[in-house]
PDB file of all heavy atoms in Angstrom:
ATOM      1  N   ARG A 422     -54.718  -2.525  -9.184  1.00 98.00           N
ATOM      2  CA  ARG A 422     -54.779  -2.011  -7.815  1.00 98.00           C
ATOM      3  C   ARG A 422     -56.204  -2.099  -7.301  1.00 98.00           C
ATOM      4  O   ARG A 422     -57.136  -2.358  -8.060  1.00 98.00           O
ATOM      5  CB  ARG A 422     -54.346  -0.553  -7.764  1.00 98.00           C
ATOM      6  CG  ARG A 422     -55.451   0.364  -8.336  1.00 98.00           C
ATOM      7  CD  ARG A 422     -55.135   1.832  -8.182  1.00 98.00           C
ATOM      8  NE  ARG A 422     -54.876   2.194  -6.800  1.00 98.00           N
ATOM      9  CZ  ARG A 422     -54.382   3.380  -6.428  1.00 98.00           C
ATOM     10  NH1 ARG A 422     -54.119   4.291  -7.346  1.00 98.00           N
ATOM     11  NH2 ARG A 422     -54.189   3.659  -5.175  1.00 98.00           N
ATOM     12  N   LEU A 423     -56.360  -1.856  -6.009  1.00 98.00           N
ATOM     13  CA  LEU A 423     -57.680  -1.805  -5.439  1.00 98.00           C
ATOM     14  C   LEU A 423     -58.134  -0.340  -5.316  1.00 98.00           C
ATOM     15  O   LEU A 423     -57.318   0.543  -5.082  1.00 98.00           O
ATOM     16  CB  LEU A 423     -57.722  -2.443  -4.044  1.00 98.00           C
ATOM     17  CG  LEU A 423     -57.200  -3.883  -3.929  1.00 98.00           C
ATOM     18  CD1 LEU A 423     -57.442  -4.403  -2.511  1.00 98.00           C
ATOM     19  CD2 LEU A 423     -57.854  -4.801  -4.961  1.00 98.00           C
ATOM     20  N   VAL A 424     -59.420  -0.121  -5.461  1.00 98.00           N
ATOM     21  CA  VAL A 424     -60.022   1.195  -5.222  1.00 98.00           C
ATOM     22  C   VAL A 424     -61.315   0.937  -4.440  1.00 98.00           C
ATOM     23  O   VAL A 424     -62.177   0.166  -4.890  1.00 98.00           O
ATOM     24  CB  VAL A 424     -60.346   1.932  -6.551  1.00 98.00           C
ATOM     25  CG1 VAL A 424     -61.075   3.238  -6.281  1.00 98.00           C
ATOM     26  CG2 VAL A 424     -59.078   2.198  -7.347  1.00 98.00           C
ATOM     27  N   VAL A 425     -61.405   1.551  -3.261  1.00 98.00           N
ATOM     28  CA  VAL A 425     -62.549   1.302  -2.377  1.00 98.00           C
ATOM     29  C   VAL A 425     -63.166   2.651  -1.993  1.00 98.00           C
ATOM     30  O   VAL A 425     -62.525   3.447  -1.309  1.00 98.00           O
ATOM     31  CB  VAL A 425     -62.106   0.527  -1.112  1.00 98.00           C
ATOM     32  CG1 VAL A 425     -63.274   0.395  -0.132  1.00 98.00           C
ATOM     33  CG2 VAL A 425     -61.562  -0.834  -1.493  1.00 98.00           C
ATOM     34  N   PRO A 426     -64.388   2.931  -2.409  1.00 98.00           N
ATOM     35  CA  PRO A 426     -64.996   4.216  -2.049  1.00 98.00           C
ATOM     36  C   PRO A 426     -65.241   4.313  -0.549  1.00 98.00           C
ATOM     37  O   PRO A 426     -65.718   3.355   0.074  1.00 98.00           O
ATOM     38  CB  PRO A 426     -66.346   4.200  -2.778  1.00 98.00           C
ATOM     39  CG  PRO A 426     -66.268   3.082  -3.772  1.00 98.00           C
ATOM     40  CD  PRO A 426     -65.281   2.106  -3.254  1.00 98.00           C
ATOM     41  N   GLY A 427     -64.888   5.440   0.041  1.00 98.00           N
ATOM     42  CA  GLY A 427     -65.242   5.710   1.456  1.00 98.00           C
ATOM     43  C   GLY A 427     -64.169   5.377   2.465  1.00 98.00           C
ATOM     44  O   GLY A 427     -64.327   5.716   3.633  1.00 98.00           O
ATOM     45  N   LEU A 428     -63.082   4.708   2.063  1.00 98.00           N
ATOM     46  CA  LEU A 428     -62.004   4.401   3.009  1.00 98.00           C
ATOM     47  C   LEU A 428     -60.740   5.096   2.539  1.00 98.00           C
ATOM     48  O   LEU A 428     -60.475   5.204   1.335  1.00 98.00           O
ATOM     49  CB  LEU A 428     -61.741   2.899   3.117  1.00 98.00           C
ATOM     50  CG  LEU A 428     -62.906   2.003   3.525  1.00 98.00           C
ATOM     51  CD1 LEU A 428     -62.390   0.565   3.708  1.00 98.00           C
ATOM     52  CD2 LEU A 428     -63.552   2.481   4.803  1.00 98.00           C
ATOM     53  N   TYR A 429     -59.919   5.547   3.494  1.00 98.00           N
ATOM     54  CA  TYR A 429     -58.642   6.137   3.124  1.00 98.00           C
ATOM     55  C   TYR A 429     -57.779   5.112   2.404  1.00 98.00           C
ATOM     56  O   TYR A 429     -57.933   3.896   2.613  1.00 98.00           O
ATOM     57  CB  TYR A 429     -57.908   6.672   4.366  1.00 98.00           C
ATOM     58  CG  TYR A 429     -58.548   7.923   4.925  1.00 98.00           C
ATOM     59  CD1 TYR A 429     -59.126   7.926   6.183  1.00 98.00           C
ATOM     60  CD2 TYR A 429     -58.586   9.092   4.167  1.00 98.00           C
ATOM     61  CE1 TYR A 429     -59.722   9.076   6.697  1.00 98.00           C
ATOM     62  CE2 TYR A 429     -59.202  10.246   4.660  1.00 98.00           C
ATOM     63  CZ  TYR A 429     -59.770  10.230   5.919  1.00 98.00           C
ATOM     64  OH  TYR A 429     -60.368  11.359   6.402  1.00 98.00           O
ATOM     65  N   GLY A 430     -56.850   5.615   1.593  1.00 97.00           N
ATOM     66  CA  GLY A 430     -56.004   4.749   0.766  1.00 97.00           C
ATOM     67  C   GLY A 430     -55.218   3.718   1.555  1.00 97.00           C
ATOM     68  O   GLY A 430     -55.043   2.587   1.099  1.00 97.00           O
ATOM     69  N   TYR A 431     -54.764   4.099   2.751  1.00 97.00           N
ATOM     70  CA  TYR A 431     -53.865   3.191   3.497  1.00 97.00           C
ATOM     71  C   TYR A 431     -54.557   1.920   3.970  1.00 97.00           C
ATOM     72  O   TYR A 431     -53.865   0.965   4.298  1.00 97.00           O
ATOM     73  CB  TYR A 431     -53.210   3.930   4.688  1.00 97.00           C
ATOM     74  CG  TYR A 431     -54.082   4.041   5.914  1.00 97.00           C
ATOM     75  CD1 TYR A 431     -53.921   3.182   6.992  1.00 97.00           C
ATOM     76  CD2 TYR A 431     -55.077   5.016   5.988  1.00 97.00           C
ATOM     77  CE1 TYR A 431     -54.715   3.282   8.120  1.00 97.00           C
ATOM     78  CE2 TYR A 431     -55.882   5.122   7.112  1.00 97.00           C
ATOM     79  CZ  TYR A 431     -55.701   4.265   8.169  1.00 97.00           C
ATOM     80  OH  TYR A 431     -56.509   4.354   9.278  1.00 97.00           O
ATOM     81  N   VAL A 432     -55.877   1.916   4.026  1.00 97.00           N
ATOM     82  CA  VAL A 432     -56.568   0.671   4.416  1.00 97.00           C
ATOM     83  C   VAL A 432     -57.286   0.027   3.243  1.00 97.00           C
ATOM     84  O   VAL A 432     -58.109  -0.880   3.448  1.00 97.00           O
ATOM     85  CB  VAL A 432     -57.604   0.899   5.545  1.00 97.00           C
ATOM     86  CG1 VAL A 432     -56.945   1.104   6.883  1.00 97.00           C
ATOM     87  CG2 VAL A 432     -58.544   2.038   5.211  1.00 97.00           C
ATOM     88  N   SER A 433     -57.006   0.467   2.025  1.00 98.00           N
ATOM     89  CA  SER A 433     -57.850  -0.066   0.961  1.00 98.00           C
ATOM     90  C   SER A 433     -57.270  -0.035  -0.449  1.00 98.00           C
ATOM     91  O   SER A 433     -57.595  -0.908  -1.252  1.00 98.00           O
ATOM     92  CB  SER A 433     -59.164   0.746   0.921  1.00 98.00           C
ATOM     93  OG  SER A 433     -58.901   2.085   0.530  1.00 98.00           O
ATOM     94  N   ALA A 434     -56.401   0.958  -0.752  1.00 98.00           N
ATOM     95  CA  ALA A 434     -56.140   1.234  -2.163  1.00 98.00           C
ATOM     96  C   ALA A 434     -54.852   0.570  -2.665  1.00 98.00           C
ATOM     97  O   ALA A 434     -54.073   1.178  -3.399  1.00 98.00           O
ATOM     98  CB  ALA A 434     -56.093   2.744  -2.397  1.00 98.00           C
ATOM     99  N   THR A 435     -54.598  -0.667  -2.271  1.00 98.00           N
ATOM    100  CA  THR A 435     -53.342  -1.337  -2.571  1.00 98.00           C
ATOM    101  C   THR A 435     -52.987  -1.311  -4.060  1.00 98.00           C
ATOM    102  O   THR A 435     -53.746  -1.793  -4.913  1.00 98.00           O
ATOM    103  CB  THR A 435     -53.406  -2.793  -2.072  1.00 98.00           C
ATOM    104  OG1 THR A 435     -53.784  -2.740  -0.704  1.00 98.00           O
ATOM    105  CG2 THR A 435     -52.070  -3.490  -2.223  1.00 98.00           C
ATOM    106  N   LYS A 436     -51.820  -0.732  -4.348  1.00 98.00           N
ATOM    107  CA  LYS A 436     -51.319  -0.671  -5.715  1.00 98.00           C
ATOM    108  C   LYS A 436     -50.457  -1.900  -5.982  1.00 98.00           C
ATOM    109  O   LYS A 436     -49.961  -2.511  -5.046  1.00 98.00           O
ATOM    110  CB  LYS A 436     -50.503   0.619  -5.910  1.00 98.00           C
ATOM    111  CG  LYS A 436     -51.294   1.870  -5.521  1.00 98.00           C
ATOM    112  CD  LYS A 436     -50.613   3.150  -5.953  1.00 98.00           C
ATOM    113  CE  LYS A 436     -49.658   3.680  -4.900  1.00 98.00           C
ATOM    114  NZ  LYS A 436     -49.193   5.067  -5.218  1.00 98.00           N
ATOM    115  N   TRP A 437     -50.249  -2.237  -7.223  1.00 96.00           N
ATOM    116  CA  TRP A 437     -49.437  -3.432  -7.602  1.00 96.00           C
ATOM    117  C   TRP A 437     -49.897  -4.642  -6.806  1.00 96.00           C
ATOM    118  O   TRP A 437     -49.086  -5.432  -6.303  1.00 96.00           O
ATOM    119  CB  TRP A 437     -47.937  -3.165  -7.367  1.00 96.00           C
ATOM    120  CG  TRP A 437     -47.504  -1.798  -7.820  1.00 96.00           C
ATOM    121  CD1 TRP A 437     -47.382  -1.402  -9.106  1.00 96.00           C
ATOM    122  CD2 TRP A 437     -47.176  -0.669  -7.005  1.00 96.00           C
ATOM    123  NE1 TRP A 437     -46.991  -0.072  -9.138  1.00 96.00           N
ATOM    124  CE2 TRP A 437     -46.834   0.378  -7.873  1.00 96.00           C
ATOM    125  CE3 TRP A 437     -47.097  -0.449  -5.615  1.00 96.00           C
ATOM    126  CZ2 TRP A 437     -46.475   1.641  -7.408  1.00 96.00           C
ATOM    127  CZ3 TRP A 437     -46.726   0.813  -5.161  1.00 96.00           C
ATOM    128  CH2 TRP A 437     -46.421   1.825  -6.057  1.00 96.00           C
ATOM    129  N   VAL A 438     -51.208  -4.776  -6.677  1.00 97.00           N
ATOM    130  CA  VAL A 438     -51.775  -5.806  -5.777  1.00 97.00           C
ATOM    131  C   VAL A 438     -51.611  -7.192  -6.398  1.00 97.00           C
ATOM    132  O   VAL A 438     -51.824  -7.370  -7.602  1.00 97.00           O
ATOM    133  CB  VAL A 438     -53.241  -5.502  -5.450  1.00 97.00           C
ATOM    134  CG1 VAL A 438     -54.147  -5.567  -6.697  1.00 97.00           C
ATOM    135  CG2 VAL A 438     -53.778  -6.427  -4.366  1.00 97.00           C
ATOM    136  N   THR A 439     -51.197  -8.154  -5.596  1.00 96.00           N
ATOM    137  CA  THR A 439     -51.037  -9.522  -6.110  1.00 96.00           C
ATOM    138  C   THR A 439     -51.739 -10.565  -5.228  1.00 96.00           C
ATOM    139  O   THR A 439     -51.765 -11.723  -5.583  1.00 96.00           O
ATOM    140  CB  THR A 439     -49.556  -9.915  -6.179  1.00 96.00           C
ATOM    141  OG1 THR A 439     -48.981  -9.750  -4.892  1.00 96.00           O
ATOM    142  CG2 THR A 439     -48.799  -9.076  -7.193  1.00 96.00           C
ATOM    143  N   GLU A 440     -52.245 -10.132  -4.083  1.00 97.00           N
ATOM    144  CA  GLU A 440     -52.763 -11.116  -3.142  1.00 97.00           C
ATOM    145  C   GLU A 440     -53.898 -10.540  -2.314  1.00 97.00           C
ATOM    146  O   GLU A 440     -53.791  -9.407  -1.836  1.00 97.00           O
ATOM    147  CB  GLU A 440     -51.636 -11.475  -2.180  1.00 97.00           C
ATOM    148  CG  GLU A 440     -51.521 -12.915  -1.808  1.00 97.00           C
ATOM    149  CD  GLU A 440     -50.389 -13.088  -0.810  1.00 97.00           C
ATOM    150  OE1 GLU A 440     -49.211 -12.959  -1.211  1.00 97.00           O
ATOM    151  OE2 GLU A 440     -50.704 -13.304   0.366  1.00 97.00           O
ATOM    152  N   LEU A 441     -54.966 -11.312  -2.153  1.00 98.00           N
ATOM    153  CA  LEU A 441     -56.014 -10.958  -1.181  1.00 98.00           C
ATOM    154  C   LEU A 441     -56.087 -12.114  -0.204  1.00 98.00           C
ATOM    155  O   LEU A 441     -56.455 -13.226  -0.589  1.00 98.00           O
ATOM    156  CB  LEU A 441     -57.373 -10.770  -1.869  1.00 98.00           C
ATOM    157  CG  LEU A 441     -57.507  -9.695  -2.962  1.00 98.00           C
ATOM    158  CD1 LEU A 441     -58.971  -9.643  -3.453  1.00 98.00           C
ATOM    159  CD2 LEU A 441     -57.077  -8.338  -2.443  1.00 98.00           C
ATOM    160  N   GLU A 442     -55.729 -11.845   1.033  1.00 98.00           N
ATOM    161  CA  GLU A 442     -55.825 -12.899   2.048  1.00 98.00           C
ATOM    162  C   GLU A 442     -57.042 -12.632   2.899  1.00 98.00           C
ATOM    163  O   GLU A 442     -57.116 -11.608   3.596  1.00 98.00           O
ATOM    164  CB  GLU A 442     -54.552 -12.922   2.906  1.00 98.00           C
ATOM    165  CG  GLU A 442     -54.597 -14.056   3.930  1.00 98.00           C
ATOM    166  CD  GLU A 442     -53.398 -14.044   4.890  1.00 98.00           C
ATOM    167  OE1 GLU A 442     -52.430 -13.303   4.631  1.00 98.00           O
ATOM    168  OE2 GLU A 442     -53.486 -14.765   5.903  1.00 98.00           O
TER     169      GLU A 442
END
Side-chain angles (χ1 to χ4, degrees):
R422 74 174 305 169
L423 305 186
V424 175
V425 174
L428 302 186
Y429 288 116
Y431 80 100
V432 285
S433 66
T435 307
K436 305 191 270 191
W437 317 288
V438 65
T439 56
E440 220 182 289
L441 301 183
E442 183 185 347

